[in-house]
Every structure is written in C-alpha cells, then in structure tokens.
Amino acid sequence: MRLLTLFSLLFVALQTYGKELNTQIAFIPDVHFHDIYADFSQSGFKGVKLDSQTKPVAIRSMKAQLHSTRLFNENYFALIAALNDIAERGVKLVALPGDFTDDGQPAHLKGLKALLNDYTKRYDMRFFAIPGNHDPVKPIKTAAGKSDFLNDEGREVAIFSPDHKNCKASQTDALFCDDGIAHGGYQEIVSAMADFGLMPSSQDLLWQTPFTSDHAALSERQYQQCSEDKQHCVMLPDTSYLVEPVAGLWLLAIDANVYLPEFKNNQLTFKGSGNAGYNKVLTEKPYLITWIKQIVSAAKKQNKTLIAFSHFPMGEFYDQQSASIKELYGSDAFQLTREPTNNTQETLAETGLRLHIGGHMHMNDTSLIKTAKNTLYNIQAPSISAYRPAYKLVSIIGSKAKVDTVLLDSIAGFDTLFPAYEKEYSYLAEHNPDEKWLADILDSEDYHQFTLRHLAGLTRWRFIPREWPESFRSVLLSFSFHELLGLYESPINKPLTQHSERVLKGVTLFDFIRDFYLLRNAGTLAFEDIPTTHLKAYKVMAQQLNTMGQCIPKDVGKIAQTVDVCTLQVGLSKALMIFEKLADGENDRCLMIDLNLNANKPAKACRP
C-alpha cells in the first residue's frame, strides 16, 4: 500500500514538473470560532431559544463582546461566509494561522472540525492549521469557563468545567458545570485538528517537522522548555510543519507559541504565550531559526515557492510609530509588548524568508524588514471576528504572489442573534441600567456596520479607559475640536477660515479616538468609514496646535479645575501626528511580491 502511494505521488510530481505554478491560498487567522449551537444541556444549561423552529443557541452576552477585542458569536456566521466565498472562487487551499477557536474548548473544537470536514467533503478544500495563543491557552488541558453566557431571560450565567474552583464551591442557578468548556491543551488541539495539517496526509507530496525523526506523533515533536530562572524544565510539543500540498508549493507552518513553566503553590503552571511571540522564539526555540534557514536553502535548490505562516507577527505593525506611541500612551499600551524587536525582525529576515502571513493583532497591515540580501514581507491578516472583517488571498503564478484583501462586509445571518441581545438589553434596563450598552448596534444593516459599531463601543468601554492619558478621559470627549481650541488663550498665527471652523465643529474628541482605532485596525480599509471632513479637521487641528506656541489656558470654570488642558494640547498634537503616519503606511490592500528566493525584487502595488 505504501509503495503504491509513493508511485502515485511520483506520478503527480512528474505530471506537474516543468509547469508554471498556478494556485491560490486563503489565509484566515483569528477566527476565534465559538460554536453557537454547542450542546451544554447535560449540565442543565438550555441556552437561548430564538424561535420555535431552530435549536437553542449557547452564546455570550453583547456586554461581554463590547469589552472584548473580538466578537464571540457572529464569527460563526463570518467563517461560513468566508468559506462560501472561497468556495465560489474555486480556491482549494486554506490556511488557519492560529486562534481558530475561542479558547481551544472541546465543544468549539468539535463544532469547528465538523464545519471544516463539511467543506472538505463538498468542495474538496484542504485546511492547514497552526496553533495560536488561544489554542491552546496553556500547553496542557486546564480548568476554565466563562461567566457571561446568556440564558433565555437575557441574564448572564456561568459555564465552567467541573474541575474549576467555581464548580467545586456551592452551585447556584446561575452556574453550570460542563467539561466541554475546559481549555484544551496541545493533545486535545492536535487530536481534533489532525486532519487539517497538524498530521501528515496521503495527499501531501511532502510533510516534515523540525525534528530529526519526522515522526508525526506529538510525543516525537517536543523540545525542552525551562522557566525563566532555569530551575524547572519540561518537555513541550512544537507542532510546526512543512507541507507540499501541490507540486512546487511549500507551506511553512510555524508554531511560535512559547509557554514558560512556573511553579505556584508546588503546582506546575504556565505563562500564556500572548506576549511572547518571536522575541521568545529566538531565545527559547532557536532550533526553529536553524530549521527555517534549512528550508529556505532547500527551496532555492529545488525551485519551490515558499510561503510561511504563523499566528504571531514577524514585523512591526505600527508603521514605524512604536516609539511615539510608547512616549504618549506608555510602554504597555496598544499591545506594544507583542512587537518583535529590531533584532528579532532582522534575525527572521536573515533566514531568507520572503513572505510571512501572521495574525494575532486583528490588524490589516504590511511591514518590510530589509537586510543586505533579503526583504521579508510580513503581512498582518485581519480577523473576521473584528473590524474590519476580511481575509488574505494569495494567488501564485510562477514566482509571483498577488496578496489581496477580501472584504466580508455582507454576510448571511449576521443578525440571527439579535433577538437574544434584545432580551439581554431589556434585562439590563430593568435590573442593571448602568450596564446598558448602546442599542444602535442592533440597527446595523450589515456585518461591516456591525463590526464598526462594535469597535465604537469597544473604544468607549475598553480602549479609552485603559489606553488613553487621563487628560483625554474626561467631559472633553464630547467637545468638538472647535470647542477644544476655545480652551486656550494662546495666540494663533493663522486665523481659521469659515470652512475650517465648520469642519472643526463637525468632529468631537471621541470621534477622533474612534477613527484612530479604525485606522489602527484596518489600515487603508478604514478610509471608507472615516469621513473626509474628519480627515480635514485633523489636519487643521494639528496645524493649529503646532503653531500655538506657549500654552495659555482660558479660565473656563470647572474645565480648568478638572482637566490639564496644556497636557491635552501636547498629547493631542502627538496623537494627530501618529494618526497621520498610520494613514501613510505601507500598501496593505494589494501587493505583488516576487517569491524567487534567488532574487530580491521590490514588491509592486496591484489592483484588488
């Protein structure tokens, strides 16, 4: 049987030898799949009944979604829409660069596996997954759960795994215990996702791991990971692999998770990998760098087209504005700890890799890392579970790769769960009115608008309180830019024109902060949602603040007593400068990249 398989693969290789490679690969990171139809009924949780015809849903609250950088529920429909779009295009290869599930829970892994198997069967698709920091959250299975599921009356209730401390305490009618909500470890992840790249398939022309044995068993794919003080060491899995799904194309899937072991109360635990990324790969998994170099060298010799993907970014993602962001917002703001250092970026570029597609940041961005002999293009693919929902489509013809961005603005069923959220809103209005969210999100006309309003809510409830300086977090959020200028006696060198006054009156401080996050997340895709009058107002305001000279506050009563308007002037001026730079970043919509590893030609812009 094995001999027959080898002859079949050899026949395929001979048939395609000498032909120009012509194929497409879709990249969908950060799906954060939550199976809204997961069954927790054995634990007593009945879910929310939407109507008499459909199965009850197990969803998390809108309140929870508006405090999270990702949606939990609607991405179920977004993934189906993305896969339908991919099927209509005739694309057969789909990469999932990490965080393909909510938190690696068995219930969601089961639902995702069934969905992917369905598309494999119906459309002959092949999926290639690599873990992210949410799957697994820790390298071993751990007790876990969520306290914000919705019940049928619109109230938040909790579902935890039976071994969680909450389930070991006295239970209430708002607590359910089900092992389907535990956090799966590597064993559970690989067992569920084995057919999607993590284990070899008879269809593969080549499948390798970084380990000399090349055995697929997880027990044979391990490395030693020590704690930061080097006092405790354990063997942990590394699921990295190289696969050749079609002749001439090598997909390099890199498991860049690093989980540092800790001993707390004499028990082994692990730090999460969310902030580790490639900075820790260099120190904790140096063998991966060696392996990548070997693969690049082999790809050159064998004339293979090589594309790498992983969950974490290999390049910076703030258009060279990280230092300015750190100065204004602090070193821990805007997830700066996740950014690879210059040394890390250079080391990765020196491996010879040309194209890497990552996720993790839920951003649409392109960065270039240039060394003497190579340019590494790091493509940050956006998440379909956040603004602005899209995936990356790589079309390969010969040695050229067209990297395109496919928008998911309109998806079927995005409003399916709105009746459940209406129950939640009514419950909050009656029992906890201070926690009501803005109900306009339920008026969204499509998924694009839904994610836009989600980000606006996220800006208000999470980003501003956590990330913006105190001078911005005040009553001034509702002030127009024109009103903000009225807080100063400082002389203005260039008087405002009537047009400039109008545009400054038409935008508030909150509008600017929301637009800032739109641009940060979506790059140039955000310009469809930022009015041109806002962009004009930001330029006028920047000019006024920069020419103002010494700050002389007006005596405006309570404002002068509660807000340091001079600090606001400096901070807003810096924020506007960062906004301008982000708006002028690298091409993040459509790029044509030469993947010939024996040359180093610059990329060119292309039409989507």
Side-chain angles (χ1 to χ4, degrees):
M1 184 68 181
R2 181 176 176 84
L3 187 60
L4 181 61
T5 301
L6 289 174
F7 274 122
S8 298
L9 294 180
L10 180 61
F11 177 76
V12 172
L14 289 173
Q15 287 287 96
T16 55
Y17 181 79
K19 290 185 178 180
E20 188 175 62
L21 182 61
N22 187 339
T23 192
Q24 292 180 299
I25 315 102
F27 291 83
I28 317 177
D30 300 289
V31 174
H32 291 285
F33 183 82
H34 172 117
D35 187 359
I36 63 172
Y37 296 109
D39 185 0
F40 298 110
S41 60
Q42 287 188 342
S43 67
F45 178 72
K46 297 180 180 179
V48 181
K49 193 76 172 173
L50 298 177
D51 55 52
S52 60
Q53 304 298 318
T54 56
K55 183 179 178 182
V57 292
I59 62 172
R60 295 169 69 183
S61 68
M62 177 60 76
K63 174 188 168 185
Q65 293 198 128
L66 290 173
H67 285 80
S68 170
T69 55
R70 67 186 191 275
L71 293 164
F72 302 125
N73 306 322
E74 281 67 30
N75 22 341
Y76 178 92
F77 304 103
L79 178 58
I80 292 173
L83 295 180
N84 285 343
D85 184 76
I86 289 166
E88 288 178 10
R89 295 171 185 269
V91 178
K92 302 298 182 183
L93 306 177
V94 182
L96 304 173
D99 286 5
F100 35 82
T101 61
D102 178 48
D103 274 324
Q105 301 97 327
H108 301 325
L109 282 167
K110 179 182 177 181
L112 178 62
K113 180 180 179 180
L115 184 64
L116 299 185
N117 278 334
D118 180 51
Y119 279 84
T120 297
K121 182 178 180 180
R122 285 198 289 152
Y123 299 107
D124 198 28
M125 285 185 188
R126 294 200 63 196
F127 295 92
F128 301 93
I130 198 68
N133 62 299
H134 280 270
D135 39 36
V137 175
K138 301 291 174 66
I140 57 177
K141 185 179 179 182
T142 54
K146 307 293 180 185
S147 58
D148 47 30
F149 279 85
L150 277 184
N151 71 5
D152 203 39
E153 63 178 349
R155 177 168 64 120
E156 286 187 339
V157 297
I159 306 179
F160 283 89
S161 55
D163 52 347
H164 192 276
K165 63 181 181 180
N166 288 358
C167 285
K168 293 179 180 179
S170 58
Q171 295 191 24
T172 70
D173 64 347
L175 173 64
F176 303 90
C177 301
D178 195 301
D179 197 51
I181 205 68
H183 287 172
Y186 268 112
Q187 190 64 54
E188 290 74 22
I189 300 292
V190 173
S191 177
M193 302 292 288
D195 293 337
F196 311 121
L198 294 179
M199 290 290 183
S201 165
S202 60
Q203 299 180 67
D204 299 333
L205 301 178
L206 173 72
W207 191 91
Q208 292 181 354
T209 78
F211 304 98
T212 53
S213 67
D214 260 346
H215 289 168
L218 207 56
S219 60
E220 300 290 331
R221 299 158 68 186
Q222 297 192 347
Y223 73 103
Q224 181 176 266
Q225 179 62 67
C226 296
S227 58
E228 288 183 299
D229 61 9
K230 308 302 179 185
Q231 296 299 305
H232 306 285
C233 297
V234 295
M235 298 300 292
L236 292 181
D238 181 332
T239 59
S240 301
Y241 61 92
L242 172 70
V243 64
E244 186 171 6
V246 296
L249 173 65
W250 281 7
L251 294 178
L252 175 58
I254 304 170
D255 181 352
N257 279 322
V258 174
Y259 302 93
L260 295 176
E262 299 178 300
F263 273 86
K264 294 182 178 179
N265 300 322
N266 293 321
Q267 287 190 327
L268 174 66
T269 183
F270 295 88
K271 290 184 178 180
S273 66
N275 292 331
Y278 280 98
N279 291 328
K280 286 296 184 183
V281 167
L282 263 61
T283 59
E284 309 302 320
K285 290 180 165 183
Y287 62 88
L288 282 179
I289 303 302
T290 302
W291 183 56
I292 293 171
K293 289 179 179 178
Q294 292 170 348
I295 289 172
V296 170
S297 177
K300 285 182 179 180
K301 293 177 182 177
Q302 299 179 44
N303 196 30
K304 303 292 184 181
T305 296
L306 176 63
I307 299 176
F309 68 97
S310 71
H311 184 58
F312 298 92
M314 284 190 172
E316 63 88 27
F317 36 79
Y318 283 130
D319 297 304
Q320 310 301 325
Q321 294 306 298
S322 296
S324 298
I325 290 172
K326 185 180 295 186
E327 179 185 359
L328 177 58
Y329 303 98
S331 58
D332 294 331
F334 287 76
Q335 300 179 324
L336 284 170
T337 52
R338 297 180 170 187
E339 186 172 271
T341 65
N342 289 337
N343 177 65
T344 297
Q345 294 180 53
E346 186 174 319
T347 300
L348 292 168
E350 287 177 347
T351 63
L353 277 178
R354 182 62 45 79
L355 175 60
H356 169 263
I357 297 178
H360 194 39
M361 302 308 300
H362 300 188
M363 292 181 185
N364 177 53
D365 186 69
T366 299
S367 62
L368 281 62
I369 306 103
K370 296 182 179 181
T371 62
K373 296 182 179 180
N374 186 44
T375 300
L376 169 59
Y377 293 87
N378 179 71
I379 306 295
Q380 285 302 122
S383 168
I384 64 172
S385 65
Y387 178 85
R388 186 173 181 185
Y391 67 89
K392 294 291 182 178
L393 180 62
V394 178
S395 304
I396 301 173
I397 301 178
S399 66
K400 303 290 193 303
K402 180 185 180 184
V403 183
D404 203 356
T405 310
V406 182
L407 298 173
L408 295 174
D409 287 345
S410 299
I411 67 171
F414 85 97
D415 55 355
T416 298
L417 306 175
F418 283 14
Y421 300 140
E422 289 169 356
K423 290 183 180 182
E424 176 192 353
Y425 190 86
S426 296
Y427 184 90
L428 288 174
E430 182 179 352
H431 296 91
N432 204 347
D434 289 342
E435 295 191 6
K436 285 193 308 180
W437 27 268
L438 294 177
D440 69 338
I441 194 169
L442 301 185
D443 296 326
S444 301
E445 295 182 358
D446 54 27
Y447 190 55
H448 172 201
Q449 190 176 63
F450 183 79
T451 59
L452 178 65
R453 289 178 174 175
H454 170 257
L455 186 58
L458 196 57
T459 300
R460 185 179 300 277
W461 298 109
R462 174 171 171 147
F463 292 147
I464 291 176
R466 290 190 185 188
E467 297 185 330
W468 285 73
E470 187 175 354
S471 55
F472 287 80
R473 307 193 305 265
S474 66
V475 293
L476 298 183
L477 281 174
S478 61
F479 274 41
S480 71
F481 271 20
H482 189 266
E483 289 173 310
L484 291 179
L485 282 180
L487 298 176
Y488 304 96
E489 293 280 11
S490 308
I492 297 175
N493 294 335
K494 188 176 180 180
L496 292 171
T497 64
Q498 289 184 345
H499 175 70
S500 294
E501 284 194 358
R502 282 198 301 273
V503 296
L504 290 180
K505 289 177 180 178
V507 62
T508 66
L509 182 58
F510 178 81
D511 290 336
F512 167 67
I513 297 176
R514 180 202 57 206
D515 290 349
F516 191 101
Y517 283 106
L518 296 181
L519 185 61
R520 185 196 72 164
N521 276 29
T524 58
L525 302 178
F527 289 137
E528 293 179 34
D529 298 311
I530 302 175
T532 54
T533 52
H534 285 200
L535 297 175
K536 173 66 175 176
Y538 303 151
K539 289 185 177 181
V540 172
M541 190 67 171
Q543 292 168 356
Q544 294 298 313
L545 293 176
N546 292 337
T547 59
M548 192 175 284
Q550 182 182 359
C551 175
I552 306 174
K554 275 186 182 178
D555 184 8
V556 286
K558 290 182 179 180
I559 297 295
Q561 297 171 17
T562 58
V563 180
D564 184 346
V565 295
C566 289
T567 299
L568 175 67
Q569 176 196 348
V570 175
L572 184 55
S573 179
K574 290 179 179 179
L576 287 163
M577 180 194 70
I578 295 169
F579 183 94
E580 181 181 355
K581 297 294 184 181
L582 293 178
D584 194 34
E586 296 286 346
N587 184 326
D588 57 26
R589 185 69 184 265
C590 187
L591 272 180
M592 190 69 73
I593 300 172
D594 192 331
L595 297 182
N596 182 357
L597 298 177
N598 292 302
N600 190 13
K601 298 178 181 179
K604 297 180 180 179
C606 54
R607 290 186 176 183

